[in-house]
Amino acid sequence: MGRHIAFERLHNFRDMGGYRTAEGRAVRWGRLYRSDALSKLGGADLERFTGLGVRTVIDLRYPFEIEAKGRVPEATGVGYHNLSIEHRPYDQTTFGPEVETTAFYARLHAEVAADGVKELARALELIAAEGSGPLVFHCAAGKDRTGLLAALVLGLLGVPEEDIVADYALSELATARLLADWTAANPERSLRWPGWGRAPADAMRIFLAGLAAEHGSVEGYARTRLGTDDALIAALREALLTD
């Protein structure tokens, strides 16, 4: 099956199925998706999205982003949850070339993991809940906040670290289209930071190494910081894994 699902206006919509765990099980296809902002859906894109049978959407953006850009169209009839996992607003479009790309993103993920514990815990509960799928979680570009939650989910399922890193880095395939959209919307401005829209693999490696150093593993972080217990991990694996 294909991991990338093509849309005209969505640039980073992916099925998270197919990844194998260390025990030899696999993530189900068609159960969990990650994306950039679903507020861009319309026309044929909306028809394609509706055809996926999505029941639940988790929007990881700030409320002010939703107010400015909109949310998944209500016509889809999905269960909608806004869980803003990032608590320190910033504007990457103001960065200059002196900001080191990998270090910035690794630090960003660590900050969100520290600040967004309540929202991340709730997101895991929703993903694991019976009847919640198919489910899509997304932010604006589908790479930073979305990439963090994807890493936590895959880690709790037992997917090897290099596959988690590879899933994160796939967002690089969307960088050019995201940049084109930003340029079209801001013709009077120019970006000075070469890291805008990037998802460098080493940023996720550094972030995961930091979790391991402090908590032992992704699961250790989820248990000690998010309050994740055996029942939730079992429910998550029951919902998302197949033999």
Side-chain angles (χ1 to χ4, degrees):
M1 296 185 65
R3 183 164 308 286
H4 290 83
I5 299 176
F7 289 88
E8 180 64 29
R9 296 294 302 126
L10 299 181
H11 307 322
N12 204 9
F13 194 104
R14 310 204 303 266
D15 193 325
M16 293 184 64
Y19 291 114
R20 301 203 72 85
T21 71
E23 292 78 25
R25 303 185 73 190
V27 182
R28 298 179 191 275
W29 290 102
R31 172 57 175 80
L32 186 65
Y33 301 96
R34 52 176 295 173
S35 180
D36 44 330
L38 297 180
S39 53
K40 296 182 286 186
L41 285 171
D45 276 358
L46 185 56
E47 292 180 13
R48 172 162 289 189
F49 177 83
T50 302
L52 295 174
V54 171
R55 295 180 180 177
T56 308
V57 167
I58 299 175
D59 188 338
L60 302 174
R61 295 175 299 164
Y62 288 102
F64 68 77
E65 292 177 278
I66 298 167
E67 183 177 355
K69 301 292 186 180
R71 46 155 281 183
V72 62
E74 293 189 16
T76 59
V78 301
Y80 175 78
H81 305 266
N82 177 215
L83 300 174
S84 180
I85 64 173
E86 188 177 273
H87 294 193
R88 311 183 201 190
Y90 63 94
D91 184 359
Q92 293 181 19
T93 66
T94 66
F95 292 0
E98 71 280 0
V99 177
E100 204 284 318
T101 299
T102 297
F104 168 77
Y105 284 120
R107 183 174 67 254
L108 172 64
H109 301 326
E111 289 176 352
V112 174
D115 297 343
V117 292
K118 178 180 177 181
E119 295 84 2
L120 287 167
R122 179 58 180 152
L124 292 177
E125 291 174 354
L126 288 168
I127 293 168
E130 184 176 355
S132 68
L135 180 148
V136 183
F137 58 92
H138 76 89
C139 54
K143 65 183 190 69
D144 300 331
R145 291 165 284 189
T146 297
L148 170 58
L149 180 55
L152 296 182
V153 171
L154 293 176
L156 288 173
L157 294 178
V159 172
E161 180 173 312
E162 279 309 301
D163 288 333
I164 296 173
V165 170
D167 179 75
Y168 171 80
L170 282 176
S171 286
E172 293 260 316
L173 298 176
T175 299
R177 294 180 71 191
L178 292 168
L179 178 58
D181 276 1
W182 187 90
T183 301
N186 300 274
E188 75 291 351
R189 300 177 61 190
S190 60
L191 291 170
R192 297 177 54 241
W193 186 44
W196 190 93
R198 297 283 312 283
D202 281 345
M204 181 53 64
R205 288 194 184 96
I206 293 168
F207 166 67
L208 292 175
L211 279 192
E214 186 171 358
H215 303 285
S217 63
V218 169
E219 183 174 327
Y221 160 78
R223 288 182 180 276
T224 59
R225 296 290 285 120
L226 306 185
T228 305
D229 58 16
D230 289 344
L232 181 56
I233 293 174
L236 196 67
R237 293 177 177 176
E238 177 65 23
L240 298 180
L241 294 180
T242 180
D243 295 326

